Amino acid sequence: MSNVQTTYLKDYKAPEFGIKNCDLVFELFEDYTQVTNMMSIVKVDKNSKNIVLNSVDLELTELYLNDLKLKDTRYIIDKETLTVLDVPDDFKLIIINKIYPHLNSELDGLYKSGDIFCTQNEPEGFRRITPYLDRPDVMAVFKTTLVANREKYPILLSNGNTASSFKLDDGRHGITWDDPHPKPAYLFALVAGDLGVVKDTFKTASAKIVRLNIYTDKGNESKCKHAMKSLKEAMLWDEEKYGREYDLTLYNIVAVDSFNMGAMENKGLNIFNSAYVLADEDTATDANFMGIQSVIAHEYFHNWTGNRITCRDWFQLTLKEGLTVFRDQCFSADLNSKEVQRIEDVKALRERQFVEDASPTAHPIQPNSYMAINNFYTATVYEKGAEIIRMIHTLLGEENYRKATDLYFESFDGQAVRTDDFLWAMSKASGVDLKAFETWYHQSGTPKLHVEERYENGEYKLTLTQKVPNAVDGSEQKPYYYPLKIALLSDNGKEILAETLIVSKDKEEFVYKLKSKPVLSINRDFSAPVIVEQKENNYPFLMKFDKNSFVKYESTQSFGVLTIESIMEGKVVDEEYIKSFESLLNTDIDLSYKALLLELPTVSTLMQRQTEVDFELIYEAKEKLELHIATKFQDKLLDIYKKYHKPTCKDIDAKSIGERSIKNRCLKLLSALKNDEVIELANNQYNESITMTDRAVALDILENISPAFAEIAQADFYKKYKDDTLVMNKYFSILAASHREGTLDRVMALQNDNAYNELVPNLVRSLIGVFARNYKHFHAKDGYGYKFVVDKIIDIDKINPQMASGLAGAFKIYEKMNIENKKAMKTELDRVVSTQSISKNVYEIVSKIIKI
Ligand code: ARG
Ligand code: ZN
């Protein structure tokens, strides 16, 4: 597998041909689909003689050029291309080919999810449907006719608006769809099935009525309410915040169970992983509700940032993804709690992206090369990309940022552009020079900022030193340019000043004339995605006084980290930390925010600070602190729990969600006691609560502290939900994340459970993916955890390479592991790369991890 080809950004060439129109006819049968693809093509580069179309795993039936059937001497079929020789300047090409959607387990191109035909074409799925110039800078107007059995597939959908429909004598029917907006093939979609639908409408700012439909398996209609509400909220928000209106009269969403990712923004026909559409209080957690709101909005926002303006090539992916994630984060912040949203976003960034950025698979948000582009739908391109846009927003200010996005939309509507074009608009409209900022697009690794403070003779001197890691290939990287929000506090906690510094050099000094030494509050709101290293710290002070909700949280976390690290060194629990924790317990603040403050640092956070990772050591120390806190604050935690435990409340307003998060945080903290009282609390909560949020928490706690009660609750849960695959995901996740002895054996056995299906990505992620993030058992010193996951990677790769390469991501911390674990990992990873048939997706990740 070492002959995998690498694609480089520097090799980009403009397309030699353009496609004006693409008329498609799909005849969908149970055992195959016939595609008739009629394209009108123009030569852009007059020197080209042949047209090379992308074509993967296609069975060609017939080929016509300007209505003349082509002999096989006029074209060449290769593994991944179809070349038509000697084509004129302007011509019509008709291609008829066959595909087998029911056999497509990669879930790329046209495939079946249960009884539903659906598509996923980003980034390169369309070439598995029909030969095409499958690249985002080739945009055509599509017209699509779907023909299928009327009874089995009454619903036939594609992009745009319905033009006409017809019936055939053989029991089939057909519908033709017209999409007036030129688009790249990756935004093409079709759906056929016997689906239920929920309908609504939205009136745009200019008073146009848009029909909104959410399609789902019949019987699930009542679970689409929240998604529909979220869609309307997103439409309104984009009008108000960005001045963007929807541009068709129809917006369709379809929920399917088998989907590689979260969702897809196909023009006018979004296709969603059902996990991001379906919810009710009985089956979805509060986090699920929030996730739906944000993904529905994300895909909707792509209509402008992604579809109207798309990417020139896939190296520009962050152009649409970073920007759209930033937009959905702001949307969620506006609709819910700003402070909680920001912390959640930073947490997610640091748990996933920072780990990636510290590994051999680190890459700039705009990568230079790839083997499999599907591997680059990463936390870096998405979440770090969003942080980059957020910094631009900070540098420009709200008003200029809006002017700049207006200019971006005005200048590039209908085009496929680059991140440079975006930066041009940002800079042009605001007058802010972003030249020095561009490094963020081209360098990888998380920069560190070293902070030194000195107070002398009425002068407070802040010395900031950037520590920029080398690139993966060892080359040196330049310092960054970014906004750093800070404040100086007086010793009674008052803000003396708050400002945004610009950090741009290797080392720089900021001097303030002050009567006494201030306390520094730094990287407020997490204004830059960097790691701050401080010699001095004032965590207890900032926990108490800082008005910036992020710094308050950060100080709590940092203090927790130091406390656990000192336990790891064999010291006793720092009583000052315990005191600060106690005052947090007693503060009267927003409950969701408070629940975040009371969360101890995650294992991942602690792991990232180690030079040689040993999970056992981390666990032991963390468990010690947990037990200490639970013992000391048992009564207080119990009080809070009892105050907010309202088992019959299932509202999902901010207040109810806050109450559930705080009391579940308390229950979780209490569970360190592992005593009868806590087991009873968890067991009662499982039995009496009517929300999935509460029951999932209870189930998780019982699983970890009481095998006997866990078994009863799990049997009950299983009986109730075994037919609901979304709920079964939670069941598998809880068991796969368990700290109990024997978890690996149970995970192995669960693969034979009737509710499990290796073909469904959600289930694989819930069972195998969650196990691979179960530090205790995955990293067990005997190496069996590694062996199991590698066996699965090799097996699943044959079914679905994207899913397999996702699982391989669990090995990204390889380089940082202790010798013993590293050796065990290496043995297994070697097995992956020496597997003959391994996909380029998995090969790329693993070969980079072990550096071959
Ligand atoms: N554009 C989609 C989104 O972010 C993701 C599609 C990714 N697909 C893939 N096969 N990697 O909303
Ligand atoms: Zn996206």
Side-chain angles (χ1 to χ4, degrees):
M1 237 304 146
S2 48
N3 56 349
V4 180
Q5 287 222 348
T6 300
T7 306
Y8 295 92
L9 169 57
K10 64 173 170 20
D11 294 341
Y12 172 84
K13 282 199 196 70
E16 296 173 354
F17 293 86
I19 301 176
K20 280 187 296 194
N21 295 287
C22 179
D23 290 4
L24 297 162
V25 180
F26 288 86
E27 294 185 67
L28 305 162
F29 299 102
E30 287 314 302
D31 46 357
Y32 74 96
T33 290
Q34 174 160 301
V35 187
T36 307
N37 170 5
M38 294 161 278
M39 296 176 276
S40 41
I41 302 180
V42 283
K43 212 175 254 184
V44 182
D45 177 354
K46 294 286 182 281
N47 294 321
S48 339
K49 281 179 64 181
N50 310 330
I51 183 167
V52 184
L53 300 160
N54 304 102
S55 169
V56 175
D57 290 342
L58 300 176
E59 199 175 300
L60 237 55
T61 319
E62 284 169 84
L63 208 65
Y64 298 85
L65 194 146
N66 287 337
D67 296 327
L68 242 116
K69 187 163 177 175
L70 291 183
K71 294 213 187 76
D72 59 8
T73 49
R74 284 292 310 281
Y75 59 88
I76 302 165
I77 300 175
D78 237 329
K79 242 181 102 210
E80 302 206 330
T81 54
L82 163 67
T83 306
V84 184
L85 306 169
D86 268 327
V87 294
D89 288 355
D90 203 322
F91 60 101
K92 220 169 79 196
L93 195 62
I94 301 179
I95 303 171
I96 301 170
N97 69 279
K98 259 170 132 181
I99 46 178
Y100 302 89
H102 67 293
L103 301 177
N104 180 350
S105 62
E106 299 187 27
L107 315 184
D108 202 17
L110 177 61
Y111 66 94
K112 283 194 95 175
S113 169
D115 292 326
I116 309 171
F117 280 99
C118 65
T119 52
Q120 171 55 35
N121 291 326
E122 183 183 4
E124 296 179 337
F126 198 72
R127 61 189 63 186
R128 295 167 184 275
I129 293 179
T130 187
Y132 200 76
L133 296 177
D134 189 7
R135 44 187 288 170
D137 56 355
V138 170
M139 295 160 98
V141 172
F142 283 77
K143 182 169 150 186
T144 308
T145 302
L146 307 175
V147 190
N149 182 281
R150 203 168 50 217
E151 263 175 25
K152 283 202 81 172
Y153 306 101
I155 306 287
L156 300 173
L157 308 170
S158 190
N159 316 87
N161 307 305
T162 38
S164 57
S165 58
F166 54 88
K167 278 187 191 166
L168 299 176
D169 295 338
D170 59 1
R172 293 191 295 161
H173 70 146
I175 296 184
T176 300
W177 290 81
D178 255 323
D179 182 1
H181 299 278
K183 64 169 178 290
Y186 84 86
L187 290 173
F188 172 85
L190 76 78
V191 168
D194 185 8
L195 299 162
V197 63
V198 175
K199 291 176 183 288
D200 208 326
T201 58
F202 180 80
K203 191 170 170 186
T204 70
S206 62
K208 277 187 298 203
I209 301 293
V210 183
R211 288 179 296 131
L212 313 175
N213 299 322
I214 301 183
Y215 292 91
T216 169
D217 278 327
K218 285 188 172 152
N220 281 335
E221 291 88 343
S222 66
K223 293 186 181 174
C224 297
K225 280 196 209 101
H226 185 68
M228 186 62 90
K229 176 167 175 275
S230 305
L231 175 59
K232 292 199 281 182
E233 287 165 344
M235 294 178 87
L236 184 63
W237 188 88
D238 216 15
E239 290 182 347
E240 287 175 350
K241 281 287 151 92
Y242 281 82
R244 300 293 115 199
E245 248 185 73
Y246 187 59
D247 55 4
L248 287 166
T249 53
L250 180 60
Y251 194 88
N252 284 326
I253 290 176
V254 181
V256 300
D257 288 332
S258 291
F259 203 74
N260 278 334
M261 310 276 287
M264 180 62 211
E265 69 263 24
N266 318 300
K267 185 76 187 191
L269 177 55
N270 288 182
I271 298 180
F272 270 64
N273 184 328
S274 55
Y276 291 105
V277 176
L278 305 177
D280 61 23
E281 299 80 356
D282 177 49
T283 56
T285 61
D286 295 338
N288 292 147
F289 278 96
M290 303 291 263
I292 289 170
Q293 187 185 48
S294 103
V295 178
I296 290 272
H298 180 96
E299 307 310 331
Y300 176 73
F301 296 155
H302 268 316
N303 191 53
W304 277 95
T305 51
N307 301 2
R308 297 284 297 232
I309 305 182
T310 190
C311 303
R312 188 194 71 169
D313 55 79
W314 292 120
F315 295 102
Q316 318 294 327
L317 184 57
T318 199
L319 170 79
K320 72 175 178 83
E321 295 304 344
L323 177 54
T324 305
V325 171
F326 174 65
R327 278 152 56 66
D328 82 54
Q329 289 178 348
C330 293
F331 164 76
S332 294
D334 280 354
L335 268 77
N336 309 298
S337 152
K338 271 200 170 38
E339 52 197 2
V340 170
Q341 182 67 34
R342 185 63 189 136
I343 293 167
E344 295 283 10
D345 290 339
V346 174
K347 257 178 69 177
L349 180 83
R350 294 199 286 214
E351 295 267 305
R352 297 178 47 230
Q353 199 278 325
F354 276 29
V355 175
E356 179 168 84
D357 230 357
S359 83
T361 60
H363 50 276
I365 65 163
Q366 181 170 303
N368 310 307
S369 68
Y370 57 74
M371 290 181 198
I373 183 57
N374 263 315
N375 283 334
F376 285 80
Y377 287 74
T378 58
T380 298
V381 168
Y382 275 68
E383 274 78 29
K384 186 175 182 178
E387 292 299 318
I388 308 310
I389 306 297
R390 184 180 295 270
M391 286 193 282
I392 294 175
H393 178 272
T394 307
L395 292 167
L396 269 57
E398 180 66 31
E399 209 175 300
N400 271 332
Y401 174 77
R402 173 59 195 271
K403 274 193 214 153
T405 57
D406 284 351
L407 180 63
Y408 174 66
F409 293 123
E410 215 173 88
S411 310
F412 302 113
D413 189 14
Q415 298 180 41
V417 304
R418 298 159 307 147
T419 57
D420 283 347
D421 298 311
F422 178 79
L423 286 173
W424 169 85
M426 293 296 110
S427 187
K428 171 90 180 165
S430 65
V432 176
D433 185 355
L434 292 171
K435 195 76 207 129
F437 184 79
E438 284 173 19
T439 345
W440 285 105
Y441 283 82
H442 307 296
Q443 299 191 157
S444 63
T446 309
K448 289 186 176 164
L449 184 69
H450 187 76
V451 182
E452 259 174 87
E453 302 168 72
R454 186 176 280 173
Y455 184 79
E456 252 171 21
N457 310 327
E459 257 187 17
Y460 171 69
K461 201 189 272 175
L462 188 60
T463 308
L464 303 178
T465 314
Q466 288 201 46
K467 290 206 236 158
V468 180
N470 286 345
V472 171
D473 66 7
S475 59
E476 236 174 74
Q477 304 192 113
K478 288 195 278 198
Y480 289 88
Y481 178 101
Y482 56 85
L484 183 72
K485 293 189 192 171
I486 65 148
L488 301 178
L489 311 184
S490 69
D491 51 17
N492 57 11
K494 289 241 162 59
E495 259 174 39
I496 306 168
L497 72 90
E499 63 179 353
T500 304
L501 305 177
I502 298 294
V503 175
S504 65
K505 303 191 188 71
D506 271 327
K507 183 173 184 167
E508 48 207 312
E509 277 180 5
F510 299 88
V511 182
Y512 303 85
K513 295 228 177 301
L514 296 172
K515 288 202 191 73
S516 62
K517 186 174 181 195
V519 173
L520 175 65
S521 163
I522 194 167
N523 208 13
R524 291 189 137 192
D525 305 332
F526 199 68
S527 63
V530 302
I531 297 168
V532 174
E533 292 180 338
Q534 259 173 299
K535 261 227 177 101
E536 282 174 65
N537 76 66
N538 285 289
Y539 299 142
F541 182 91
L542 293 169
M543 280 168 77
K544 197 158 168 201
F545 292 116
D546 205 326
K547 283 196 187 59
N548 190 266
S549 53
F550 178 76
V551 173
K552 195 186 184 76
Y553 165 80
E554 188 71 337
S555 308
T556 310
Q557 283 289 303
S558 303
F559 203 6
V561 165
L562 291 187
T563 306
I564 295 172
E565 282 176 349
S566 78
I567 300 173
M568 284 163 71
E569 286 160 15
K571 299 194 185 112
V572 295
V573 177
D574 181 349
E575 278 308 316
E576 198 177 357
Y577 173 75
I578 299 301
K579 250 195 277 156
S580 301
F581 194 90
E582 180 168 24
S583 44
L584 285 180
L585 271 177
N586 291 323
T587 47
D588 186 17
I589 43 174
D590 172 78
L591 295 175
S592 292
Y593 178 53
K594 184 164 171 170
L596 279 173
L597 292 180
L598 294 179
E599 184 180 19
L600 299 185
T602 61
V603 173
S604 168
T605 305
L606 296 155
M607 173 274 285
Q608 289 177 47
R609 293 165 52 89
Q610 295 196 303
T611 38
E612 201 185 276
V613 179
D614 194 329
F615 285 107
E616 282 179 13
L617 212 63
I618 298 178
Y619 266 117
E620 258 171 47
K622 195 178 165 189
E623 279 166 13
K624 226 179 225 170
L625 181 60
E626 281 166 351
L627 183 59
H628 188 100
I629 288 175
T631 311
K632 174 124 189 178
F633 301 121
Q634 189 167 355
D635 296 341
K636 181 72 199 171
L637 289 167
L638 212 60
D639 280 353
I640 303 179
Y641 178 81
K642 286 189 176 143
K643 179 162 177 202
Y644 296 114
H645 177 52
K646 300 176 181 168
T648 55
C649 167
K650 58 171 187 169
D651 302 336
I652 50 161
D653 54 280
K655 181 170 163 277
S656 313
I657 291 178
E659 293 183 346
R660 276 192 292 275
S661 10
I662 193 69
K663 65 104 188 197
N664 281 325
R665 170 74 60 229
C666 292
L667 187 59
K668 192 99 184 96
L669 286 166
L670 281 167
S671 73
L673 296 170
K674 301 187 178 168
N675 61 17
D676 290 348
E677 196 180 357
V678 179
I679 293 169
E680 199 185 322
L681 282 180
N683 200 45
N684 287 344
Q685 172 160 321
Y686 176 80
N687 288 315
E688 63 190 19
S689 275
I690 59 170
T691 61
M692 182 53 72
T693 305
D694 275 4
R695 270 178 286 149
V697 168
L699 217 51
D700 178 53
I701 290 174
L702 290 176
E703 166 61 28
N704 283 289
I705 67 174
S706 169
F709 281 96
E711 205 173 304
I712 301 167
Q714 282 163 16
D716 173 77
F717 194 83
Y718 189 87
K719 204 169 117 218
K720 264 194 202 127
Y721 298 112
K722 62 181 186 314
D723 298 322
D724 185 330
T725 163
L726 290 179
V727 181
M728 287 317 285
N729 286 320
K730 301 178 205 307
Y731 175 85
F732 291 124
S733 300
I734 289 169
L735 294 174
S738 172
H739 285 186
R740 248 164 73 188
E741 288 310 307
T743 292
L744 175 57
D745 289 337
R746 289 207 289 156
V747 167
M748 286 174 145
L750 281 167
Q751 295 181 94
N752 301 317
D753 194 289
N754 283 333
Y756 185 73
N757 179 354
E758 206 157 70
L759 297 171
V760 179
N762 288 352
L763 290 166
V764 173
R765 282 188 284 259
S766 303
L767 188 65
I768 320 292
V770 169
F771 176 80
R773 264 91 185 163
N774 179 336
Y775 300 115
K776 201 163 218 162
H777 293 292
F778 176 58
H779 295 286
K781 291 259 158 56
D782 59 18
Y784 288 157
Y786 300 149
K787 181 176 180 319
F788 169 65
V789 173
V790 160
D791 284 342
K792 293 324 295 175
I793 290 172
I794 294 171
D795 281 357
I796 290 170
D797 193 42
K798 294 178 197 126
I799 300 171
N800 182 336
Q802 278 187 62
M803 218 158 52
S805 104
L807 294 175
F811 288 94
K812 282 185 184 177
I813 52 173
Y814 167 72
E815 216 173 38
K816 291 189 70 184
M817 293 304 293
N818 63 76
I819 309 174
E820 209 181 336
N821 282 95
K822 213 171 161 175
K823 210 174 129 216
M825 270 191 177
K826 181 75 169 39
T827 313
E828 296 304 324
L829 292 175
D830 282 342
R831 211 150 59 78
V832 176
V833 288
S834 59
T835 299
Q836 271 307 314
S837 60
I838 208 81
S839 67
K840 62 177 179 178
N841 303 60
V842 170
Y843 181 82
E844 176 167 37
I845 301 292
V846 176
S847 66
K848 283 177 177 171
I849 291 173
I850 57 175
K851 296 191 172 163
I852 50 169

